[in-house]
Amino acid sequence: MSLSPLVPTVLRNLFKKPATNLFPRAEPVPVPENFRGQIKYNVDKCVGCRMCVTVCPAGVFVFLPEIRKVALWTARCVYCKQCVDVCPTGALQMSDEFLLASYDNYDDKFIPLKPEKVEEIKKKLEEQKKAKEKAKAEKKEQSKA
Amino acid sequence: MDVMANIVYPVAGLIGLYAFVSLASLVWEGIDRKLVARMQRRVGPPLLQPIYDFLKLASKETIVPNTANYMFRAAPVLALATTIALLAYTPMGFEPLLSSRGDVIVFIYLLTLICFFKILGAISSGSPYAKIGAAREAAIMVSREPAMMLAIFAIMWRLGKLGVEKPFSMGVFYQHNIWEIGTPLSFVGAIILLYVFCVWLASEIEAGYFNIPDAEEEIAEGALAEYSGRYLALLKLTKALKTYIGASLVVSIFFPWGIAGYLNLSGISADIVNLLFHTLKVFILLFAVQSVFRATTGRLKITQAVELLWKNVLPASIIGTLLIAMEVIM
């Protein structure tokens, strides 16, 4: 039996510092530029063009016709960034967040556009519609008069 | 010949030794894991991790396969009981508690019996994977013992020639040691036997080359495949104790010097200081034989390991024995 060639390496390593990142105690390894983290959705910028629904390979998006927006469930996202590339208004962006472990699949952080918000937008749209109709009716009356 | 000296003190000593050795051997396992982690540039678990593991295993649900027979439950308990009994015959810096004439046979018998109970438990589980692991364990066991037995009997016989009150007792190492014989031939023989004992120890504790019967990557974790919960905790503790005992044997044969004499201690305090110093020596020996060996070598195939033990270690043992015995024979 000859001495293993690893012995000197191993004994030298014994006096070196560990080459590891002590994550919960230290900061995680910094993310690179253009890191593909969780999707961020900006509802106000969305024009409802349905491009993201077409291009998404994982079926994250559901189009909501009444309000012309999309609902997302990012727990299913595969981080391919195709929706970000295809979005014409820049309403979808990749963030740097990657610590996304959760006890609940339907955690709030996976659903950027919540049902309450959808209702709110619906109400707003209806109000706008009513206001417009009112304005139209008033205009008609004015023009009649 | 009173009750106190013959029964009460040895029992108290055994309980104390058991408490100390189980703590020390589990801590050594933690140190070993830490050292190997540092050799691979990792941080490693905390030093007390094996103790946490033991407590966790002991608190987990124990599953007994419905193909297992009663020996499956009995074997871990018997193995640990054998190990505790073995502590009474293990030299640990002072003469063993129950040292008497010829107790080296008891020592070897009990040390092998631990292994035997492990095999018995594995073949009683009804799992064919555990049976293959047990067969490997048995093959290694019968291959490693002859070299060690030849060497230890030769050393004891040679030390007996120097005049001891209890020949072939585990205590003789503290009266005469192998380096005292003094001839160049015996010195070379002692070095060769040190090699034999180091390989024996490595195969006894299944480190490096000999990590065959229990290895995770071998056939479905080998002999311990079916054990879980409390029984696994007992077997892990047994293994830790056996590591300490095996290393104790090698340390007491080759490095039996204590420090209590230099510190002018006597009685119980001398024993405690010698025990602590002995533990330090055990840790140093295990560092070389377990940690470094484990970190630098992969395991052999079972055929290669058996071949190594018969074709390399046994001849080395015979040569070392002859060199030690030389000037008495001629």
Side-chain angles (χ1 to χ4, degrees):
Chain A
M1 270 199 312
S2 59
L3 210 59
S4 164
L6 275 176
V7 172
T9 314
V10 148
L11 292 180
R12 232 178 295 130
N13 278 349
L14 206 50
F15 298 101
K16 285 183 187 164
K17 267 192 177 167
T20 48
N21 179 298
L22 297 170
F23 164 55
R25 265 180 277 156
E27 287 294 303
V29 178
V31 298
E33 241 177 89
N34 297 326
F35 177 78
R36 303 207 294 243
Q38 196 185 26
I39 303 178
K40 291 285 170 249
Y41 177 48
N42 189 339
V43 191
D44 300 330
K45 278 191 188 173
C46 183
V47 292
C49 64
R50 275 177 288 174
M51 293 293 272
C52 49
V53 185
T54 321
V55 87
C56 180
V60 170
F61 301 93
V62 173
F63 183 62
L64 302 174
E66 318 88 87
I67 57 170
R68 300 189 58 74
K69 306 281 180 194
V70 286
L72 296 80
W73 180 38
T74 60
R76 191 180 257 184
C77 180
V78 296
Y79 304 93
C80 66
K81 210 185 168 188
Q82 297 199 61
C83 53
V84 176
D85 290 340
V86 86
C87 184
T89 59
L92 290 165
Q93 291 299 334
M94 291 309 228
S95 67
D96 282 348
E97 287 168 35
F98 60 93
L99 299 170
L100 299 169
S102 168
Y103 287 107
D104 182 12
N105 254 342
Y106 301 104
D107 199 313
D108 283 351
K109 64 183 169 190
F110 298 132
I111 304 170
L113 184 58
K114 277 150 213 108
E116 307 93 69
K117 180 90 180 177
V118 173
E119 291 301 316
E120 213 175 276
I121 295 172
K122 242 186 227 173
K123 250 183 215 167
K124 222 186 236 171
L125 280 178
E126 265 166 37
E127 268 169 30
Q128 275 178 7
K129 226 179 178 180
K130 268 181 195 166
K132 251 184 203 170
E133 269 169 23
K134 219 180 180 182
K136 254 184 193 171
E138 273 174 20
K139 242 185 192 175
K140 257 183 191 173
E141 265 174 38
Q142 269 180 11
S143 59
K144 261 185 191 172
Chain B
M1 281 291 150
D2 56 333
V3 180
M4 284 302 275
N6 280 332
I7 300 171
V8 178
Y9 288 151
V11 168
L14 184 58
I15 293 170
L17 264 189
Y18 172 53
F20 172 78
V21 173
S22 43
L23 206 67
S25 59
L26 286 176
V27 167
W28 162 255
E29 213 184 306
I31 296 172
D32 170 59
R33 288 177 66 180
K34 193 93 183 166
L35 285 172
V36 172
R38 292 303 297 267
M39 289 176 197
Q40 298 167 344
R41 308 212 52 193
R42 294 184 284 117
V43 178
L47 284 185
L48 297 182
Q49 188 62 44
I51 294 172
Y52 306 145
D53 288 349
F54 178 81
L55 293 176
K56 175 164 185 184
L57 278 177
S59 67
K60 286 193 83 151
E61 187 192 358
T62 309
I63 295 166
V64 178
N66 55 13
T67 49
N69 62 28
Y70 69 97
M71 270 317 285
F72 182 80
R73 292 154 175 274
V77 181
L78 290 172
L80 185 60
T82 314
T83 320
I84 297 169
L86 182 54
L87 285 174
Y89 294 96
T90 312
M92 295 197 203
F94 43 82
E95 269 203 27
L97 295 170
L98 301 181
S99 81
S100 59
R101 264 177 214 184
D103 66 9
V104 60
I105 307 255
V106 179
F107 184 90
I108 294 172
Y109 169 70
L110 289 178
L111 196 56
T112 320
L113 195 64
I114 300 170
C115 219
F116 175 74
F117 278 132
K118 203 176 131 197
I119 293 170
L120 207 56
I123 58 176
S124 301
S125 68
S127 156
Y129 296 115
K131 282 177 190 170
I132 293 175
R136 294 177 165 202
E137 176 109 36
I140 292 249
M141 187 177 84
V142 297
S143 309
R144 72 160 175 254
E145 298 300 344
M148 174 275 227
M149 282 160 76
L150 178 63
I152 195 169
F153 286 143
I155 291 168
M156 288 213 156
W157 169 77
R158 185 66 190 81
L159 294 182
K161 293 279 172 197
L162 299 175
V164 287
E165 53 201 81
K166 294 177 190 165
F168 289 95
S169 149
M170 299 306 286
V172 300
F173 304 119
Y174 296 111
Q175 290 163 17
H176 295 290
N177 65 55
I178 191 168
W179 311 105
E180 271 175 34
I181 302 167
T183 60
L185 279 183
S186 75
F187 187 78
V188 175
I191 298 284
I192 293 175
L193 289 187
L194 181 59
Y195 161 74
V196 169
F197 270 97
C198 283
V199 179
W200 169 79
L201 182 61
S203 69
E204 179 77 43
I205 63 185
E206 294 172 8
Y209 281 170
F210 302 101
N211 183 11
I212 300 166
D214 281 356
E216 294 90 24
E217 300 86 359
E218 287 296 315
I219 303 171
E221 291 198 33
L224 299 184
E226 295 296 333
Y227 275 108
S228 59
R230 236 174 310 142
Y231 297 132
L232 190 57
L234 289 186
L235 285 170
K236 296 258 181 200
L237 180 63
T238 305
K239 191 176 176 193
L241 287 170
K242 203 174 80 168
T243 306
Y244 187 93
I245 290 171
S248 283
L249 174 69
V250 182
V251 163
S252 61
I253 293 173
F254 291 98
F255 317 104
W257 310 286
I259 51 167
Y262 298 111
L263 299 174
N264 291 322
L265 295 171
S266 60
I268 198 98
S269 58
D271 282 352
I272 290 173
V273 168
N274 273 340
L275 178 62
L276 293 177
F277 187 59
H278 174 82
T279 307
L280 180 69
K281 286 186 286 187
V282 163
F283 284 5
I284 292 169
L285 179 75
L286 284 174
F287 170 73
V289 175
Q290 191 178 10
S291 308
V292 175
F293 195 43
R294 183 158 87 86
T296 54
T297 55
R299 64 177 75 88
L300 297 177
K301 291 181 197 164
I302 181 73
T303 50
Q304 291 170 327
V306 169
E307 205 158 280
L308 174 76
L309 288 168
W310 284 112
K311 291 193 181 163
N312 184 329
V313 180
L314 184 62
S317 177
I318 291 170
I319 293 169
T321 304
L322 287 176
L323 288 177
I324 287 257
M326 200 64 105
E327 81 272 25
V328 176
I329 295 173
M330 294 204 301

